[in-house]
């Protein structure tokens, strides 16, 4: 793929350093994905995206920008793609899920910062991720103190727009979030030179609702007694959701779901002899497949993720009945405020979600996985454990990072947990 | 018996890889989309993992249907889901 090298050079990337990432990823993908047996055929699209993760989609973004298009980089499930899409722009996730980027971030941040935030800065300042080079403006959000301060540092190198996410869910907070979305609309209109009309926003709402609907369909199929797809494969799809073209992604997920329905009917069951696990906690950005790989090689199968790379990303739709821009924006705000992140207080609805999803997914146990130094999720772990125990749902809490150092220790703990599930 | 554990078709670009993949699948020949192993190319990109016993047949199909590829190479790499190295 000689084309990639030229593109990365043109993007000002550090080719020598990026080459080190290219050296390890194929091996990891082979171990985590290609070692799996009886995968759905329609995973081939997602395998293609992953195999050339820094080539295929970046090349599309390059072409888009050549024609005057603007790309907005996002970090969080709270940022509404609808507004960006309505302005004819592209929203792309800026993932930060690899240990490869962490040392670069530690040059700017204290070591006791969560690895996701450190990886964000490492990817930008080391110039080793094409997506970070291609986003014209980064859209940050105030979902944690670490991110807020990291965005200040990113802002020294790239245009940043911060959305001030409320931390409570009172009526005035829903109104405030709608105001923040209006500010985002103003920004994308200014950057793109395109006015967001009622028609464009209504179409964007439908587009992103369809994407969420496809993911909802995928997750519903995993609740079946016959589990037709591994949790690791589903995690990959959720990760790709953040940066793929929404219409194409929706079509590919629905194509996969058609096959999964047939697999279920044919009696394919990847959960045979395994324990069904629900994972909750912090996001798992690409290429963070650590916990899923550990669980699914220790006698478990992941049947649901209550995370930002799981149900938080797609549950609840934007009400499509809005007629005016103000109504549509409030409807968008209402949907995104329904996400239950640990940055909110109180956040008991997240525990309600976990219990509901565990029951719907017929989970044998819940594993709460939090990235090191993520204080809000870490603190919620205790109350979440109490709620699960009160419901009779076995619970395991894990704190980890992107390194491989604790993999064997975690494997022992996860294996013991799964064994105790009977 | 195949000389290597795995065989890969390498391509100049993903368009050629997609064309080859579709042709092989429609011909009932095993092919798996794969990242190009480091040992075979210094650049990230898509390759196709194929069975060693299909190599000659695939070469014939590629010639017949004028499908572009750079090379077909063997490699003794393993897919080990207990290695727990994630990049």
């Amino acid at each position: 793929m000689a084309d990639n090298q030229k593109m990365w050079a043109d993007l000002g990337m550090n080719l020598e350093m990026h080459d080190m990432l290219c050296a390890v990823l194929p091996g990891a993908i082979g171990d985590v994905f290609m070692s799996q047996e009886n995968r759905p055929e329609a995973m081939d699209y997602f395998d293609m995206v992953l195999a050339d993760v820094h080539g295929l989609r970046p090349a599309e973004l390059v072409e888009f920008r050549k024609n005057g298009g603007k790309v907005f980089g996002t970090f969080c499930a709270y940022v509404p793609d609808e507004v960006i899409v309505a302005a004819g722009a592209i929203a792309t996730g800026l993932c930060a899920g690899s240990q490869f980027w962490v040392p670069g971030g530690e040059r700017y941040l204290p070591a006791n910062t969560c690895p996701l935030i450190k990886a964000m800065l490492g990817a930008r300042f080391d110039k080793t991720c094409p997506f970070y080079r291609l986003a014209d403006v980064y859209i940050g959000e105030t979902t944690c103190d670490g991110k807020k301060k990291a965005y200040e540092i990113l802002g020294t190198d790239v245009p940043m727009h911060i959305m001030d996410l409320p931390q409570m869910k009172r009526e005035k907070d829903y109104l405030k979030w709608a105001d923040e979305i209006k500010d985002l609309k103003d920004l994308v209109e200014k950057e793109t030179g395109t006015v967001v009309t009622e028609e464009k926003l209504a179409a964007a709402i439908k587009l992103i609702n369809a994407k969420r609907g496809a993911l909802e369909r995928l997750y519903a199929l995993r609740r079946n007694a016959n589990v037709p797809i591994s949790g690791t494969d589903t995690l990959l799809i959720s990760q790709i959701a953040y940066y793929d073209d929404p219409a194409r992604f929706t079509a590919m997920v629905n194509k996969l779901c058609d096959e999964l329905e047939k697999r279920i009917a044919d009696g394919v069951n990847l959960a045979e002899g395994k324990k069904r696990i629900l994972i909750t906690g912090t996001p798992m950005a690409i290429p963070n497949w650590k916990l899923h790989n550990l669980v699914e090689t220790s006698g478990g199968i992941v049947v649901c993720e209550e995370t930002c790379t799981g149900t938080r990303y797609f549950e609840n739709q934007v009400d499509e009945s809005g007629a005016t821009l103000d109504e549509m924006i409030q409807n968008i705000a209402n949907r995104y405020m329904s996400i239950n992140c640990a940055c909110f207080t109180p956040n008991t609805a997240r525990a309600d979600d976990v219990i509901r999803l565990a029951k719907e997914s017929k989970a044998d146990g819940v594993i709460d996985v939090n990235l090191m130094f993520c204080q809000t999720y870490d603190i919620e772990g205790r109350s979440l454990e109490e709620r699960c125990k009160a419901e009779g749902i076995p619970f395991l809490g894990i704190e980890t990072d992107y390194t491989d150092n604790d993999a064997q220790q975690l494997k022992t703990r996860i294996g013991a947990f799964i064994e105790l599930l009977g | 018996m195949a000389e290597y554990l795995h065989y890969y078709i390498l391509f100049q670009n993903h368009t050629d890889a997609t064309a080859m993949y579709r042709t092989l699948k429609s011909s009932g020949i095993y092919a798996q989309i794969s990242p190009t192993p480091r040992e075979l190319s210094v650049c990230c990109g898509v390759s196709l993992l194929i069975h060693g016993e299909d190599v000659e047949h695939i070469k014939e199909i590629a010639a017949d249907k004028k499908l572009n590829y750079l090379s077909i190479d063997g490699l003794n790499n393993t897919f080990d889901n207990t290695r727990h190295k994630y990049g």
Side-chain angles (χ1 to χ4, degrees):
Chain A
M1 299 274 172
D3 299 351
N4 286 351
Q5 291 283 357
K6 183 180 182 314
M7 175 176 70
W8 295 331
D10 290 345
L11 290 173
M13 288 175 61
N14 181 336
L15 296 184
E16 195 177 339
M17 195 168 179
H18 181 250
D19 195 41
M20 291 159 65
L21 182 62
C22 288
V24 294
L25 265 185
I29 293 168
D31 289 347
V32 175
F33 293 96
M34 299 183 71
S35 65
Q36 293 182 45
E37 293 176 359
N38 199 8
R39 299 175 74 214
E41 283 276 326
M43 278 304 296
D44 57 3
Y45 170 74
F46 304 97
D47 287 341
M48 176 76 83
V49 174
L50 177 62
D52 201 9
V53 66
H54 279 183
L56 278 176
R57 184 62 173 155
E60 291 180 343
L61 299 186
V62 167
E63 278 306 302
F64 181 72
R65 292 174 86 224
K66 267 186 198 163
N67 297 320
K70 292 286 181 183
V71 176
F72 292 83
T74 66
F75 300 92
C76 178
Y78 278 100
V79 176
D81 287 353
E82 289 89 342
V83 176
I84 296 167
V85 169
I90 288 178
T92 185
L94 300 173
C95 303
S98 172
Q99 176 63 24
F100 176 77
W101 291 307
V102 169
E106 286 179 339
R107 291 204 306 274
Y108 299 87
L109 295 164
N112 61 348
T113 307
C114 105
L116 188 140
I117 298 171
K118 286 190 278 197
M120 277 164 41
L121 265 61
R124 174 70 199 183
F125 289 112
D126 285 347
K127 302 179 181 173
T128 47
C129 174
F131 292 98
Y132 279 78
R133 309 300 303 163
L134 282 158
D136 296 287
V137 181
Y138 291 5
I139 311 296
E141 76 313 311
T142 55
T143 44
C144 80
D145 289 349
K147 273 183 163 184
K148 280 187 280 189
K149 304 319 286 182
Y151 291 147
E152 292 174 11
I153 300 168
L154 278 175
T156 63
D157 197 47
V158 63
M160 288 277 334
H161 173 83
I162 308 295
M163 299 182 76
D164 185 10
L165 182 73
Q167 314 276 281
M168 296 179 77
K169 293 188 178 178
R170 303 159 298 187
E171 189 179 347
K172 63 183 177 183
D173 296 313
Y174 284 72
L175 296 173
K176 175 179 167 46
W177 189 234
D179 271 345
E180 289 294 319
I181 295 172
K182 282 176 193 159
D183 287 348
L184 176 66
K185 179 184 81 71
D186 292 344
L187 172 87
V188 295
E189 284 181 334
K190 180 168 163 277
E191 291 290 329
T192 61
T194 301
V195 175
V196 173
T197 62
E198 283 90 349
E199 291 75 20
K200 287 175 180 167
L201 190 54
I205 288 170
K206 280 186 191 299
L207 178 75
I208 305 300
N209 271 348
K211 176 178 168 180
R212 282 190 282 262
L215 286 166
E216 176 75 55
R217 184 183 171 203
L218 171 63
Y219 272 60
L221 290 166
R222 299 166 76 196
R223 294 182 195 131
N224 203 284
N226 288 348
V227 179
I229 184 168
S230 71
T232 310
D233 277 347
T234 313
L235 174 63
L236 174 64
I237 294 165
S238 291
Q239 291 170 333
I240 288 173
Y242 275 85
Y243 63 90
D244 199 5
D245 173 78
R248 180 177 58 202
F249 176 84
T250 302
M252 291 300 167
V253 173
N254 278 322
K255 180 185 170 197
L256 172 69
C257 289
D258 292 343
E259 182 186 349
L260 297 185
E261 284 172 356
K262 188 168 182 312
R263 278 163 71 92
I264 289 169
D266 290 345
V268 174
N269 182 17
L270 302 185
E272 184 76 46
K274 295 180 178 172
K275 293 299 175 187
R276 302 169 69 105
I277 302 297
L278 179 143
I279 284 183
T280 180
T282 47
M284 296 175 178
I286 201 165
N288 179 10
W289 310 302
K290 182 175 174 178
L291 252 293
H292 282 62
N293 179 238
L294 288 168
V295 168
E296 296 197 327
T297 56
S298 302
I301 182 160
V302 180
V303 289
C304 185
E305 296 84 10
E306 190 282 316
T307 65
C308 301
T309 38
T311 56
R312 279 180 227 140
Y313 184 73
F314 65 78
E315 278 205 324
N316 303 310
Q317 297 283 36
V318 175
D319 181 346
E320 296 182 8
S321 67
T324 66
L325 274 178
D326 283 347
E327 286 172 359
M328 290 180 204
I329 287 172
Q330 189 61 58
N331 288 341
I332 292 170
N334 294 347
R335 185 269 152 191
Y336 283 86
M337 284 289 283
S338 72
I339 300 170
N340 297 313
C341 173
C343 66
F344 281 85
T345 186
N347 191 38
T348 51
R350 177 178 161 228
D352 297 339
D353 286 344
V354 170
I355 301 299
R356 170 180 56 83
L357 292 164
K359 289 178 178 174
E360 286 175 0
S361 304
K362 303 170 202 65
D364 297 300
V366 167
I367 300 181
D368 181 29
V369 186
N370 295 313
L371 286 170
M372 218 169 269
F373 309 117
C374 182
Q375 197 176 35
T376 51
Y377 275 93
D378 196 15
I379 291 171
E380 276 193 2
R382 184 168 174 272
S383 57
L384 192 57
E385 181 171 10
E386 285 171 357
R387 280 290 307 276
C388 284
K389 285 190 172 166
E391 296 282 343
I393 302 169
F395 182 95
L396 175 67
I398 284 174
E399 189 183 46
T400 187
D401 57 17
Y402 293 160
T403 67
D404 308 324
N405 303 342
D406 60 351
Q408 295 304 331
Q409 184 195 45
L410 289 178
K411 184 149 184 155
T412 302
R413 290 182 63 201
I414 291 166
F417 176 70
I418 289 173
E419 202 171 312
L420 286 171
L421 296 175
Chain B
M1 188 172 168
E3 190 180 348
Y4 294 96
L5 282 175
H6 296 120
Y7 285 81
Y8 293 86
I9 314 178
L10 273 53
F11 301 92
Q12 177 70 24
N13 54 57
H14 89 276
T15 308
D16 291 345
T18 304
M20 179 73 83
Y21 177 73
R22 287 185 179 150
T23 302
L24 296 185
K25 296 301 274 187
S26 65
S27 304
I29 296 171
Y30 170 84
Q32 159 92 48
I33 293 166
S34 164
T36 306
R38 173 68 177 185
E39 297 86 341
L40 300 182
S41 168
V42 294
C43 187
C44 297
V46 176
S47 61
L48 292 183
L49 179 67
I50 55 171
H51 287 153
E53 58 266 31
D54 293 331
V55 169
E56 291 309 315
H57 187 199
I58 288 170
K59 284 180 179 173
E60 289 167 12
I61 290 174
D64 182 47
K65 297 191 180 293
K66 296 185 171 44
L67 295 168
N68 298 319
Y69 66 97
L70 292 174
S71 62
I72 299 179
D73 296 322
L75 189 66
N76 283 322
N77 59 336
T78 55
F79 305 138
D80 180 358
N81 65 8
T82 62
R83 191 162 15 215
H84 305 307
K85 299 286 181 193
Y86 306 104

